[in-house]
Amino acid sequence: MAADQSRKQYLSPRTPFYYSNPLLGKGPVNVMISGFIPQGAESFATINLADGSEFPAISIPFHLSIRPKHQELVRNSYDKEKWGSEERGLTSEGFPLQFGARFDLILQINADGITATINGVQAFKWAHRLDAQRINLFEVHGAIFLESVCFDYL
């Protein structure tokens, strides 16, 4: 891959934010997200790694629902119009996000799964349920302000 294609960065993107690249699921790829959850947000923030090639029939190999009010990071997948089983769980240090506080989230996408690190602490590991090679769309929406989103193709 050419050096100019190995990194793609967006500064102060608005939400909803969409980024499409067929290399997203080919890994390894690091997705680095910096931002904050607004003070008193009532709704969830959502991050999806999806297959948008047959839109509007979308498949979501990785779905992350950030629920600060409930102090939960909920992971799931969506395929053939059905959600899978939710995975919940926190780091040993508790819920890693706070209202109004800046955060850095890194999603490391590899052939076997996704590792999430929040503010330098590993938050969870996700084993792929669906074919990761199908991932070609990244989306963020909901109660979240983005300072930057960066894609490093390793």
Side-chain angles (χ1 to χ4, degrees):
M1 178 178 295
D4 62 337
Q5 294 178 358
S6 64
R7 174 175 266 222
K8 186 73 172 170
Q9 185 172 24
Y10 298 88
L11 299 176
S12 302
R14 294 182 182 202
T15 54
F17 174 78
Y18 299 94
Y19 170 79
S20 180
N21 188 321
L23 298 176
L24 275 170
K26 307 288 187 270
V29 179
N30 285 344
V31 181
M32 294 160 285
I33 306 157
S34 296
F36 64 95
I37 306 294
Q39 194 70 31
E42 292 292 324
S43 62
F44 304 149
T46 300
I47 298 172
N48 289 322
L49 292 169
D51 173 8
S53 61
E54 296 182 25
F55 185 81
I58 195 164
S59 172
I60 305 172
F62 176 74
H63 167 83
L64 174 61
S65 178
I66 302 169
R67 303 175 182 180
K69 188 174 179 179
H70 304 284
Q71 297 195 343
E72 294 179 318
L73 298 173
V74 180
R75 285 89 60 199
N76 209 338
S77 59
Y78 181 82
D79 193 36
K80 298 180 178 132
E81 301 182 17
K82 292 183 183 176
W83 286 102
S85 301
E86 288 186 344
E87 289 184 19
R88 299 167 188 255
L90 301 174
T91 65
S92 59
E93 298 184 22
F95 186 71
L97 302 170
Q98 297 178 3
F99 287 117
R102 186 180 182 284
F103 69 84
D104 293 307
L105 166 63
I106 299 173
L107 297 174
Q108 298 172 305
I109 307 167
N110 294 298
D112 59 342
I114 297 169
T115 300
T117 304
I118 301 175
N119 298 330
V121 177
Q122 183 175 310
F124 60 83
K125 286 189 174 191
W126 169 267
H128 292 301
R129 298 177 181 173
L130 305 174
D131 182 7
Q133 301 252 341
R134 294 170 48 189
I135 297 170
N136 58 28
L137 178 65
F138 172 83
E139 59 181 4
V140 180
H141 54 86
I144 189 169
F145 287 108
L146 299 173
E147 294 176 351
S148 69
V149 180
C150 181
F151 301 87
D152 272 338
Y153 297 89
L154 308 172

